[in-house]
Amino acid sequence: MVDNGPARSIRDLLRNLAVFDTELPEFDVDAAPSDPVALFVEWLTSAVKAGVREPHAMSLATADAAGRPSSRMLICKDLDADGTWFFATSAGSRKGRELAGNPYAALCFHWPEQGRQVRVRGVVVPAGAERSAADFLARSPGARADALTGRQSQVLDDPSALDDALRAAHAEIEADPGAVAPGWTLYGVRAGDVEFWQADRDRRHTRLRYTRQESGWARHRLWP
């Protein structure tokens, strides 16, 4: 018998991890509201009440001009009645550059304590300078200082350079509390479709997809 060493150990570890090992809520598709925003607010509120950690965290997937995807976790900043989810970042960051050339994105909220996911796809539109500045100024001093360094995703050869840049950024904030990082942008993902996914221990997962239409939203239940 061939022993694959560490690879086998990792595979066994992964296969033995519990899945959906919690009390799962029910999802009555027939009782779901007619638009995804109302259902998202309902699920988000439920996640907050259930003590889900950082329920406003979501993955953001973008792709470059060649179609090569990248994904990362960040915080949802807002949601409007039209079905637009908001996040903020520097236009010069990797995701900002990718969105400039390919203005489409996918979001995913995952609340494992409830076996729930919400997936959002749509076109991405900058919210404008005024709202972007307001978002930046609402950030903590540390988060603003980090953004003011203006070097996200660049190679860091010397950690002391980061310390120097952060000191300079904090000094800039003290001198001008209204300073806003150049290129800081609040982006909105205007959903074309939104899927709500409820886990089931027997793998009879419940899936409901909303698709934007000219007259509103169409709803379709999906196979697990």
Side-chain angles (χ1 to χ4, degrees):
M1 182 175 180
V2 177
D3 184 359
N4 293 323
R8 180 181 180 85
S9 298
I10 293 297
R11 183 175 68 248
D12 291 343
L13 171 64
L14 293 172
R15 296 289 296 182
N16 289 322
L17 291 174
V19 180
F20 310 133
D21 188 21
T22 185
E23 191 68 27
L24 299 174
E26 295 183 359
F27 180 22
D28 184 355
V29 169
D30 294 330
S34 59
D35 74 90
V37 174
L39 184 54
F40 180 84
V41 172
E42 179 184 319
W43 277 29
L44 176 63
T45 302
S46 174
V48 172
K49 291 180 177 178
V52 174
R53 294 188 60 184
E54 300 179 351
H56 54 340
M58 62 185 186
S59 67
L60 167 69
T62 56
D64 63 18
R68 294 171 296 189
S70 57
S71 180
R72 73 289 287 166
M73 299 297 297
L74 69 169
I75 297 298
C76 180
K77 294 300 189 72
D78 199 2
L79 167 63
D80 67 19
D82 184 50
T84 301
W85 277 255
F86 292 90
F87 66 92
T89 188
S90 170
S93 66
R94 179 174 182 174
K95 47 190 172 293
R97 296 193 306 272
E98 290 181 347
L99 289 170
N102 185 8
Y104 295 89
L107 310 174
C108 184
F109 295 84
H110 181 213
W111 301 316
E113 294 89 342
Q114 297 178 305
R116 285 178 166 174
Q117 296 180 52
V118 181
R119 303 169 60 198
V120 180
R121 295 192 307 169
V123 63
V124 180
V125 180
E130 184 175 345
R131 292 186 65 185
S132 296
D135 174 86
F136 185 83
L137 295 175
R139 292 165 64 86
S140 69
R144 279 181 283 156
D146 180 67
L148 280 167
T149 64
R151 302 179 189 178
Q152 187 180 39
S153 301
Q154 296 182 17
V155 174
L156 177 62
D157 293 317
D158 182 2
S160 66
L162 173 60
D163 296 332
D164 293 340
L166 287 174
R167 278 193 293 269
H170 279 289
E172 181 178 354
I173 292 172
E174 290 181 8
D176 180 9
V180 175
W184 187 258
T185 306
L186 181 68
Y187 292 94
V189 180
R190 187 173 188 269
D193 58 82
V194 185
E195 181 187 327
F196 294 81
W197 187 95
Q198 174 64 66
D200 178 83
R201 286 195 181 90
D202 297 325
R203 303 307 193 268
R204 294 175 59 90
H205 309 311
T206 302
R207 299 173 61 189
L208 178 64
R209 182 174 63 200
Y210 291 80
T211 304
R212 189 185 293 274
Q213 308 288 320
E214 289 186 4
S215 59
W217 296 90
R219 299 189 308 166
H220 299 282
R221 184 164 182 166
L222 306 178
W223 280 68

